[in-house]
Amino acid sequence: MDAIEDPPAVDPVNPFSPTAVARVTEGGALATTVVTVAIRDALAHLDNYLTTGNGGTVAVVGDYGTGKTHLAAELLAHARRGTTGTVQAVYLDAPADTFLSLSRRFLGRLSREAVRALVDDYRAESADVPTTAGERTQLLAERLRVELAEVTADHSVGTVLAMLVDPATEAAAWDWLMGYPPGPALVSAGVTARTDVESGAVETMGVLALLLARRHDRYVLVLDELDKILSTAGRPGDETSARFSRLIGVFTSAGALLVIAGLPELLHLLTPQVRQRIGPIVRMSALTAQDVRDFIRQSQLRAFGQARLAPFTVETTEYLTNLTDGVPRRLIRLCYHLYQRAMQDGTQVTHRMVREAVRVQFDLASRQDVAADVRRVLTQEGWSYQRDHLIGSLRDLPVDFWVPLDEQGGGCCVLLTESVLKAEEVDELNRRVVAIRTAVPDSEVILVVVGHLPAEFAADLTETFSVEPIVHDPQTFAEDLSGSVKASMRRLEQTLGADALTSVRQRVERIQRQQTNAQRSLERLSYQLDEIRGDLRPDARASTRRDTVSSTHQAETGLATALPGRVARVFVEAVQALDQLTGFERHLRDAFTPSRPEPARRSGEAAPLLRSGLRSRDVQRALGTALVLRRLIEAFREGVEQWYVNHRHAPHPADLQRLDRLCETYDGIAEYLPLFQLDLLDDLALPDGGTPAEPVDRSLSWSEARSMFDGLSGQVRRQVIDS
């Protein structure tokens, strides 16, 4: 049987992928496929469409590494093998951008020649033979308008498609389909620029889907990682949801099948109304141990012509499946490394080899790095803590972090551990929790796993710890740990029955520590921003000249910039909004401009107002936040300006990635700025008219300003790309 197979001879090829990242290629050989529940369901929905021709939308959702892209490749191959007429199937990896970018990628995937040939076929089917080229184009345009009425009411689309088959207007027509303004030839034909380019891009995709579905018997489009578009600027607004709903609608009307794939958050990003328009939902399923054995045999059959399980065994495949929770990408990567190790050692795969491979492949962070993350979270949240605190006797191990509940004797422990891969390790952690609670009954214990924690062991540990262990993930760890510590300390307060006065005092002290830490962070950020600005200026003399010009004057006039007008205007509006809402820059200028009558009158009011406000440490901190935000916006503008000067002509993908990094840098720094402190500057803030604003108006202004600062990078990127 499998468990007693002899080890195979050393083969020159490893039959498993080292990355286990699926890629969809035209005409390429499919990777080894094990038919899971998810694949069976998805193929059944596809077969139903190929048989009936009823268009619609199928959603495929699953976490990273669960096989969504591999499933997409299976659907494409199955559609192309369809026996019911001709089937056109296209795969698109959605960009982390806009629907316009998606439409451009869609058009590029089809190619101009293919779309022109598609339209030319419609012209060839015409029974009438007009005598002039103009008459032929007009007749084709009218036919297309009638044909496309199901998905668009824009008559310009038919006109542009008809002009696509004329060599004289082909390039201009293609540019319009790609979302660019109409050229002179199109304008003379009555084609105007689209008022909503994003919605127009969605309609363009629907139009082509309709033409393709009518030309072929069936048309299938797979949009992979669509959640990237919906989550680019946070939760999508009403316009984005409406456009996505329109995308679903036009594909349904075109009689095409739209398959959208993404993370589970994809469905949560949509409104209930949009979710109702999506048809079947396929959720990726974990592999079973039998699936893993089938996969190993099929992989070796493809590579060596022999379907064997060795060097794996039934027992090691069971163990491997449990440790990885059946996640395909984890399993395939481990199969690669375990096969390599077994071939080198000339042995079968053992349980110990599996554990070692898991630790090497999944323990990406070190305990020291995670301990530093814990320190940062506790410091930012204002908690006092002790490192390597001894609880109980000297025989006991110290806890990594101890967060005391002041004089009440209770507190919260944070324990760090590496991957938990054996039942004995679970037992040891459970014994440690019992020892801690025996020494300090009024205590909470939070377990942080640096590495991998199988679901089975996570459930066992949750029962003992009373809190679900936190598996370190760089993206979510700070939020997860902060929430767990707050909840644990709140439970301790309720258990110990702390009086209201003590609780208030503790919270005030923690807030004071948070403010102190935030002030230090702002000072560090300010220093770093000064360094960044220096690095972005290649000419020191030019930078000196720029520094002599008031940054406020630049913001208000938009001078001294190579950026396009609408891009510069985004930065100008952001700085002007900050100046208006804080009022500090204006009061400071007014206090030193007594020469003119009106400013003189106001300067007598500005100076005392500034002196009064600056007595408050809270106002000082808020002004520090405003200053750092202002410098951040200016540094961001200079970085984008330098990028634009160097890459505005036909930027390559690497250039666009550089622009993305600039935007991510702004977002990453702005995320840590305590913008809520700016509310303290209401007394200094003045509207443009110089008179105090009503409280309601001020609240609305702050809401709009926060939205402007939070969404600045997205606005800038869109305007730069469209320029």
Side-chain angles (χ1 to χ4, degrees), residues 698-719:
R698 173 60 54 210
S699 175
L700 289 174
S701 297
W702 276 116
S703 175
E704 294 168 358
R706 285 197 192 94
S707 176
M708 177 182 293
F709 301 143
D710 291 340
L712 182 63
S713 65
Q715 291 186 53
V716 168
R717 191 188 189 285
R718 284 192 294 272
Q719 296 293 353

Side-chain angles (χ1 to χ4, degrees), residues 224-545:
D224 199 2
E225 300 189 39
L226 188 61
D227 49 288
K228 291 192 297 187
I229 289 182
L230 299 178
S231 60
T232 295
R235 179 167 290 277
D238 293 340
E239 289 185 355
T240 303
S241 294
R243 287 163 185 154
F244 184 66
S245 178
R246 178 65 177 152
L247 180 67
I248 294 173
V250 295
F251 269 79
T252 302
S253 299
L257 178 66
L258 175 64
V259 180
I260 58 174
L263 297 173
E265 290 77 11
L266 168 66
L267 300 178
H268 299 296
L269 289 170
L270 303 172
T271 62
Q273 293 78 11
V274 177
R275 284 199 299 271
Q276 289 174 3
R277 304 199 66 178
I278 297 175
I281 297 175
V282 177
R283 299 186 184 276
M284 300 306 299
S285 51
L287 297 178
T288 65
Q290 183 59 52
D291 292 335
V292 175
R293 288 191 286 272
D294 291 343
F295 169 76
I296 292 172
R297 291 193 180 98
Q298 290 182 34
S299 297
Q300 299 203 72
L301 176 63
R302 288 165 58 94
F304 312 126
Q306 181 182 356
R308 66 193 182 203
L309 182 61
F312 298 89
T313 66
V314 172
E315 290 78 8
T316 53
T317 53
E318 294 278 354
Y319 189 52
L320 182 60
T321 306
N322 290 336
L323 289 188
T324 58
D325 299 325
V327 176
R329 183 173 297 166
R330 297 176 186 169
L331 280 162
I332 298 171
R333 285 177 53 188
L334 289 174
C335 284
Y336 173 86
H337 293 286
L338 290 170
Y339 183 89
Q340 201 82 352
R341 171 72 180 277
M343 292 300 100
Q344 291 172 355
D345 295 350
T347 64
Q348 292 183 330
V349 173
T350 64
H351 286 56
R352 181 176 180 178
M353 290 166 61
V354 172
R355 287 194 298 272
E356 290 175 352
V358 170
R359 294 189 194 281
V360 170
Q361 297 304 315
F362 297 134
D363 292 11
L364 301 182
S366 67
R367 287 189 59 151
Q368 291 77 12
D369 293 337
V370 177
D373 289 343
V374 175
R375 286 197 300 272
R376 279 191 289 271
V377 171
L378 296 178
T379 299
Q380 289 171 359
E381 294 294 332
W383 297 109
S384 60
Y385 64 88
Q386 300 172 22
R387 279 297 318 268
D388 299 325
H389 181 67
L390 185 62
I391 294 178
S393 67
L394 293 175
R395 294 191 301 265
D396 297 316
L397 293 172
V399 298
D400 296 277
F401 292 89
W402 170 253
V403 183
L405 191 62
D406 287 340
E407 307 89 11
Q408 302 182 46
C412 176
C413 300
V414 179
L415 295 181
L416 304 183
T417 184
E418 295 175 348
S419 293
V420 182
L421 305 177
K422 296 191 295 185
E424 294 83 356
E425 294 170 343
V426 175
D427 295 339
E428 177 58 31
L429 289 169
N430 288 337
R431 282 194 295 269
R432 195 166 182 201
V433 172
V434 172
I436 292 172
R437 288 178 177 160
T438 300
V440 183
D442 298 320
S443 63
E444 293 275 342
V445 187
I446 298 173
L447 178 65
V448 175
V449 180
V450 186
H452 184 64
L453 177 65
E456 177 185 359
F457 293 162
D460 293 339
L461 291 169
T462 301
E463 291 183 7
T464 306
F465 280 75
S466 302
V467 179
E468 186 175 356
I470 301 174
V471 179
H472 181 263
D473 181 344
Q475 304 298 324
T476 61
F477 179 68
E479 182 179 354
D480 294 341
L481 180 62
S482 174
S484 292
V485 173
K486 289 177 183 177
S488 297
M489 299 301 279
R490 195 177 302 118
R491 285 194 297 270
L492 285 172
E493 287 181 352
Q494 295 172 352
T495 301
L496 295 172
D499 61 89
L501 185 60
T502 301
S503 297
V504 170
R505 177 179 59 80
Q506 293 170 352
R507 286 187 172 86
V508 169
E509 290 176 353
R510 189 163 70 87
I511 291 172
Q512 289 175 341
R513 288 193 294 269
Q514 282 180 287
Q515 291 178 332
T516 301
N517 296 331
Q519 185 68 22
R520 292 172 182 165
S521 298
L522 286 174
E523 291 171 356
R524 287 195 298 269
L525 281 172
S526 179
Y527 176 75
Q528 292 169 358
L529 281 172
D530 286 338
E531 288 189 329
I532 292 172
R533 293 179 68 186
D535 292 340
L536 288 173
R537 295 172 178 173
D539 188 344
R541 290 173 298 178
S543 67
T544 302
R545 287 196 299 270

